[in-house]
Amino acid sequence: MAKITTAVLQKMKQQGDKITSLTAYDASFAKLFADEGVEVLLIGDSLGMVLQGHGDTLPVTVQDIAYHTRCVRAGAPDAFVIADLPFMSYASTEQAFASVTPLMQAGANMVKLEGGDFLLPTVQALTERGVPVCGHLGLTPQSVHLFGGYKVQGRSNKQADAMLRQAQALQAAGAQLLVLECIPVELANRITAALSIPVIGIGAGAGTDGQVLVMHDLLGISSGYIPKFSKNFLQQTGEIRSAIRQYVADVKSQSFPAAEHSFQ
């Protein structure tokens, strides 16, 4: 794999070449994913659930993310690596500065934070200081207790208009990438078309510029609930490397996500 940068991802959006992304937490899987052409590796705070066994992502620390970022970077030196900022690690701009430092030093190319308007000063301040930022709108897992569970966001016209405005504001503040999670397909398509930066979807339909899944969901080994937007590619192919290869092929061809993995 050639080295993936923000410029490469931007060019992929412009050319209509779908971006593939998976969560990764260790060097071995990171190398496998990169070898099979996955462009973006996300050290998600999902590790709190799939690795640590918690019921949500809230207990994850910056130190946890930094450790796994270092592991992933060692296995995939040319992949584009995004590190999540955990719950309450960016409640203020000054706190965000302190939190991003160990993540970037561990090998992240970009940090991801959840939320809209309240984050705009922080996004601007980070990008001004050389820290690339990925926004995250829709179902933001760190706010799961506020939402009352893992529920689709942006169904009403008012919510949809507000999310589009927030996406545009994040881009204007300097965000270079945006993740949309669990929102209706029509809204995801509106936001993707309105932004010049790449938009990565998870439970947002096939019209976004790329897709991301939690690797444990893709392999069908997550304990408990498997979300509607996921697909067990290991069950389909019978072998891990083939499962990753099929995921990449299906995202590139826009056969995944299909209607059954999306929200109307």
Side-chain angles (χ1 to χ4, degrees), residues 53-69:
H54 299 301
D56 53 42
T57 65
L58 274 57
V60 176
T61 66
V62 171
Q63 290 72 30
D64 292 336
I65 299 289
Y67 170 81
H68 290 283
T69 299

Side-chain angles (χ1 to χ4, degrees), residues 186-200:
E186 182 182 356
L187 174 57
N189 293 347
R190 280 178 64 197
I191 294 174
T192 303
L195 298 189
S196 60
I197 61 173
V199 176
I200 308 296

Side-chain angles (χ1 to χ4, degrees), residues 123-257:
V123 171
Q124 182 173 349
L126 287 173
T127 54
E128 286 174 348
R129 288 158 177 81
V131 180
V133 173
C134 175
H136 186 156
L137 294 173
L139 172 58
T140 46
Q142 292 174 14
S143 302
V144 62
H145 296 305
L146 188 65
F147 294 149
Y150 295 96
K151 299 179 179 180
V152 179
Q153 302 297 306
R155 286 202 187 273
S156 72
N157 289 336
K158 182 178 179 181
Q159 288 178 332
D161 291 344
M163 198 180 301
L164 172 58
R165 180 186 55 76
Q166 289 181 8
Q168 292 170 320
L170 285 167
Q171 176 178 269
Q176 292 180 285
L177 206 66
L178 179 67
V179 169
L180 295 176
E181 181 169 355
C182 283
I183 69 172
V185 170
E186 182 182 356
L187 174 57
N189 293 347
R190 280 178 64 197
I191 294 174
T192 303
L195 298 189
S196 60
I197 61 173
V199 176
I200 308 296
I202 177 167
T208 54
D209 300 307
Q211 302 294 327
V212 61
L213 283 181
V214 174
M215 58 167 281
H216 293 69
D217 291 344
L218 179 146
L219 298 175
I221 57 174
S222 296
S223 58
Y225 173 71
I226 301 295
K228 169 182 174 170
F229 55 70
S230 187
K231 178 179 178 180
N232 185 344
F233 284 87
L234 181 58
Q235 185 179 48
Q236 178 183 345
T237 61
E239 193 261 336
I240 290 177
R241 185 174 295 274
S242 299
I244 305 309
R245 192 173 299 148
Q246 190 65 54
Y247 167 70
V248 171
D250 286 1
V251 171
K252 297 290 187 185
S253 68
Q254 300 184 54
S255 56
F256 177 83

